[in-house]
């Protein structure tokens, strides 16, 4: 059963916490994590790319020269794909890139990501994150004390507008909730900061 240190907002260790083996102590499945990341990125695509076919390019109504006797290859329009300024053959058109992966695969990918963060020492458990007012400086000081100053994910057990507004202006900091976690964002973070109550909630949700 993996054990991690618990810290306060000043970066001081306040105790230890045992984590669930089934969620934070499994052998990370790289193939499943890769599939989950590719799926997430595909689902983020807008799919609004579009090229003009020969029917959509303006001009080209007149036959450039007569059919026979010129020595040129026969042409019916200057907007055929082989012409400069012609239409695009088989170019991309707006479409949805969305697709789903099985629920069990998504859960395994997340558990693998959690376990990977624990194994590499990049998961930090915070005993509490309480702010009396919206103060970016306070959150920045906390992150510095915890040694988390690059890409950071902070996981809250429930929505806290004060924390969200205090952290949103800090570059590279992503504040999220237990029920909105995804494999890509967990793996993309250099440091994975989870509140103690959020750890308990994760273990309840993903057991």
């Amino acid at each position: 059963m993996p054990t991690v240190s618990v810290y306060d907002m000043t970066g001081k260790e306040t105790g230890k916490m045992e984590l669930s083996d089934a969620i934070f102590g499994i052998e990370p499945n790289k193939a499943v994590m890769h599939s989950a990341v590719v799926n997430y990125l595909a689902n983020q695509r807008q799919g609004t790319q579009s090229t003009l076919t020969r029917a959509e390019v303006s001009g080209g109504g007149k036959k450039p020269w007569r059919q026979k006797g010129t020595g040129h290859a026969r042409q019916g329009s200057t907007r055929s794909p082989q012409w400069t300024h012609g239409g695009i053959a088989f170019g991309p058109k707006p479409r949805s890139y969305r697709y789903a992966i099985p629920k069990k695969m998504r859960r395994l990918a997340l558990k693998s990501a959690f376990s990977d963060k624990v194994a590499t020492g990049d998961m930090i458990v915070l005993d509490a994150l309480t702010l009396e007012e919206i103060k970016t400086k306070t959150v920045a000081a906390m992150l510095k004390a915890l040694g988390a100053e690059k890409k950071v994910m902070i996981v809250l057990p429930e929505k806290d507008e004060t924390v969200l507004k205090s952290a949103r202006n800090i570059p590279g900091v992503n504040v999220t909730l237990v029920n909105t976690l995804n494999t890509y964002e967990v793996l993309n973070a250099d440091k994975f900061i989870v509140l103690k109550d959020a750890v308990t909630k994760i273990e309840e949700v993903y057991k």
Side-chain angles (χ1 to χ4, degrees):
M1 186 174 285
T3 304
V4 293
S5 298
V6 179
Y7 298 91
D8 62 14
M9 290 178 65
T10 64
K12 182 182 176 184
E13 187 176 331
T14 59
K16 299 283 186 183
M17 183 178 190
E18 287 190 343
L19 303 174
S20 168
D21 255 337
I23 296 167
F24 295 99
I26 69 169
E27 178 69 31
N29 189 319
K30 292 182 181 180
V32 171
M33 285 194 291
H34 177 263
S35 295
V37 168
V38 171
N39 171 249
Y40 174 82
L41 293 174
N43 290 349
Q44 300 309 301
R45 294 185 68 173
Q46 289 185 313
T48 54
Q49 76 284 27
S50 185
T51 53
L52 300 178
T53 66
R54 60 182 294 170
E56 296 166 323
V57 179
S58 62
K62 182 176 180 291
K63 187 174 173 66
W65 48 76
R66 67 178 190 269
Q67 182 80 348
K68 304 169 93 52
T70 63
H72 292 297
R74 55 195 175 190
Q75 301 290 335
S77 168
T78 57
R79 294 299 179 260
S80 298
Q82 73 270 23
W83 283 73
T84 303
H85 307 303
I88 303 297
F90 309 114
K93 282 292 184 183
R95 71 181 182 92
S96 172
Y97 287 88
R98 293 192 68 85
Y99 70 96
I101 59 174
K103 184 178 178 181
K104 285 184 178 179
M105 187 183 281
R106 289 201 308 271
R107 291 172 79 92
L108 177 57
L110 257 178
K111 290 178 185 180
S112 295
F114 295 151
S115 299
D116 180 67
K117 289 298 178 188
V118 173
T120 55
D122 292 325
M123 177 171 165
I124 300 169
V125 178
L126 199 64
D127 59 0
L129 179 51
T130 50
L131 301 175
E132 293 179 1
E133 57 180 332
I134 297 168
K135 198 82 172 174
T136 301
K137 197 173 180 180
T138 306
V139 177
M142 178 197 76
L143 294 174
K144 188 174 182 180
L146 293 169
E149 296 183 89
K150 293 183 181 179
K151 287 188 288 185
V152 182
M153 172 178 266
I154 302 172
V155 184
L156 306 177
E158 54 195 27
K159 196 171 183 179
D160 186 330
E161 286 290 342
T162 308
V163 175
L164 287 168
K165 289 179 180 178
S166 297
R168 68 185 176 185
N169 285 336
I170 306 174
V173 175
N174 176 24
V175 180
T176 189
L177 306 177
V178 171
N179 58 356
T180 59
L181 285 168
N182 69 75
T183 306
Y184 172 79
E185 290 181 343
V186 173
L187 292 174
N188 191 46
D190 293 315
K191 292 293 180 182
F192 183 54
I193 300 175
V194 193
L195 267 70
K196 198 173 180 180
D197 292 344
V199 173
T200 307
K201 206 165 184 179
I202 287 171
E203 291 180 344
E204 288 174 2
V205 172
Y206 296 101
K207 64 184 177 181

